[in-house]
């Protein structure tokens, strides 16, 4: 009987994939394409089969993240009418009550219009000087835009689409991109507090290597469960079976 050839080892797979990426890089002419290939190659260069880490032992930077300010605890900004300020407080209170980890998916049809309304009110009534991350009111606005962008992005999750199909894909795409751009307008750059939405936007654009690179660079600021889960998912989307299987085993204790 003819024996089957032994399966390709993880190290052999890694070597072959690195060679293929190096060849692709030599023929890539665009800056974005090269950045994506380099991100993939760098990750595979660093990966040692069987030695993938779950989280760093010294992970402690989450306490450095800015907390979302509560408008009810802030003084009413100059030029912000009392009735409008009370409305903003009421909108944020309702938004925080329904946009929780446990209820987020079920409440998207309420969260999206609510976050959009609060974003519009704060954007109209806060002075330009207050719409920056130098102020607590500006941080409240940024978190509102983050919640809106995240809620729109959740629309694409398979279990959400089953309950709430996207009827007009082009309109949805415009809404998501506009919300994300409004978040970037206030943050000016990637912020640790909102890094997961930056990561998701890279993934959906097909830049999964750069998304993986961004995830690794911010791992100390991300809840361990979500870091390990998103690493596993990205490796699967990349079609990298060997590291994906290792990452999936590391996620098993968190899988609920």
């Amino acid at each position: 009987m003819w024996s089957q050839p032994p399966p390709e080892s993880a190290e052999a797979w890694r070597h072959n994939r690195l060679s293929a990426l190096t060849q692709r890089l030599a023929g890539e002419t665009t800056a974005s394409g090269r950045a994506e290939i380099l991100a993939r190659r760098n990750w595979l260069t660093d990966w040692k089969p069987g030695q993938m880490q779950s989280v760093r032992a010294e992970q402690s930077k989450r306490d450095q993240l800015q907390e979302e300010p509560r408008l009810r605890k802030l003084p009413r900004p100059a030029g912000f009418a009392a009735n409008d300020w009370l409305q903003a407080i009421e909108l944020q209170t309702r938004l925080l009550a329904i946009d929780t980890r446990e209820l987020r998916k079920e409440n998207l049809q309420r969260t999206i219009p609510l976050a959009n309304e609060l974003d519009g009110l704060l954007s109209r009534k806060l002075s330009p000087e207050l719409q920056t991350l130098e102020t607590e009111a500006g941080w409240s606005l940024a978190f509102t835009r983050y919640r809106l962008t995240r809620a729109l992005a959740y629309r694409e999750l398979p279990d959400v689409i089953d309950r709430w199909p996207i009827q007009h894909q082009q309109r949805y795409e415009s809404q998501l991109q506009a919300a994300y751009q409004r978040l970037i307008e206030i943050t000016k750059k990637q912020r640790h507090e909102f890094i997961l939405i930056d990561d998701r936007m890279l993934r959906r654009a097909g830049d999964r290597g750069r998304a993986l690179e961004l995830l690794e660079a911010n791992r100390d600021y991300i809840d361990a469960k979500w870091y390990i889960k998103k690493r596993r998912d990205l490796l699967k989307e990349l079609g990298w079976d060997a590291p994906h299987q290792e990452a999936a085993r590391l996620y098993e204790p968190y899988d609920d």
Side-chain angles (χ1 to χ4, degrees), residues 10 17 20 34 39 60 75 125 149 162 178 208 219 239 246 253:
R17 186 51 59 96
R34 290 182 63 83
S60 62
K125 300 299 182 178
T149 308
D162 288 343
R208 296 181 179 91
R219 61 190 294 179
E246 186 175 350

Side-chain angles (χ1 to χ4, degrees), residues 61-152:
K61 295 182 179 178
R62 285 181 53 76
D63 59 0
Q64 300 176 18
L65 298 176
Q66 169 71 40
E67 293 186 3
E68 183 172 7
R70 302 302 191 257
L71 294 177
R72 61 183 174 81
K73 295 183 178 180
L74 304 183
R76 177 164 58 90
F80 212 120
N83 287 342
D84 291 333
W85 186 241
L86 289 175
Q87 182 185 2
I89 292 172
E90 190 263 341
L91 287 171
Q92 188 195 51
T93 301
R94 288 166 53 197
L95 178 61
L96 298 183
I98 65 173
D99 188 28
T100 64
R101 179 175 295 179
E102 296 77 13
L103 302 174
R104 187 164 294 140
K105 290 182 183 179
E106 289 70 23
N107 288 332
L108 292 178
Q109 288 178 292
R110 297 164 58 198
T111 298
I112 291 171
L114 192 57
N116 195 52
E117 184 178 359
L118 179 57
D119 176 17
L121 179 59
L122 293 175
S123 299
R124 291 192 306 272
K125 300 299 182 178
L126 288 174
S127 66
E129 293 76 17
L130 292 179
Q131 294 188 36
T132 72
L133 299 187
E134 301 299 320
T135 70
E136 289 189 290
W139 271 104
S140 293
L141 177 58
F143 272 100
T144 299
R145 292 179 178 178
Y146 172 64
R147 289 179 181 274
L148 175 58
T149 308
R150 181 177 61 192
L152 286 166

Side-chain angles (χ1 to χ4, degrees), residues 234-250:
L234 272 166
L235 291 170
K236 182 178 181 179
E237 291 172 13
L238 283 163
W240 293 354
D241 289 343
H244 168 251
Q245 291 171 11
E246 186 175 350
R249 287 193 296 271
L250 289 172

Side-chain angles (χ1 to χ4, degrees), residues 211-241:
L212 186 58
E213 181 180 58
L214 183 67
L215 188 72
E216 297 288 14
N218 290 273
R219 61 190 294 179
D220 292 345
Y221 297 94
I222 303 170
D223 182 271
K225 174 180 179 177
W226 301 117
Y227 160 66
I228 295 173
K229 180 181 186 299
K230 292 180 185 301
R231 180 181 61 185
R232 179 203 65 178
D233 294 347
L234 272 166
L235 291 170
K236 182 178 181 179
E237 291 172 13
L238 283 163
W240 293 354
D241 289 343

Side-chain angles (χ1 to χ4, degrees), residues 6 35 40 44 75 81-82 100 102 121 137 153 155 176 195 210 212 228:
R40 297 185 184 199
L44 282 178
T100 64
E102 296 77 13
L121 179 59
R155 290 285 326 270
L176 176 58
I195 208 66
R210 293 175 58 204
L212 186 58
I228 295 173

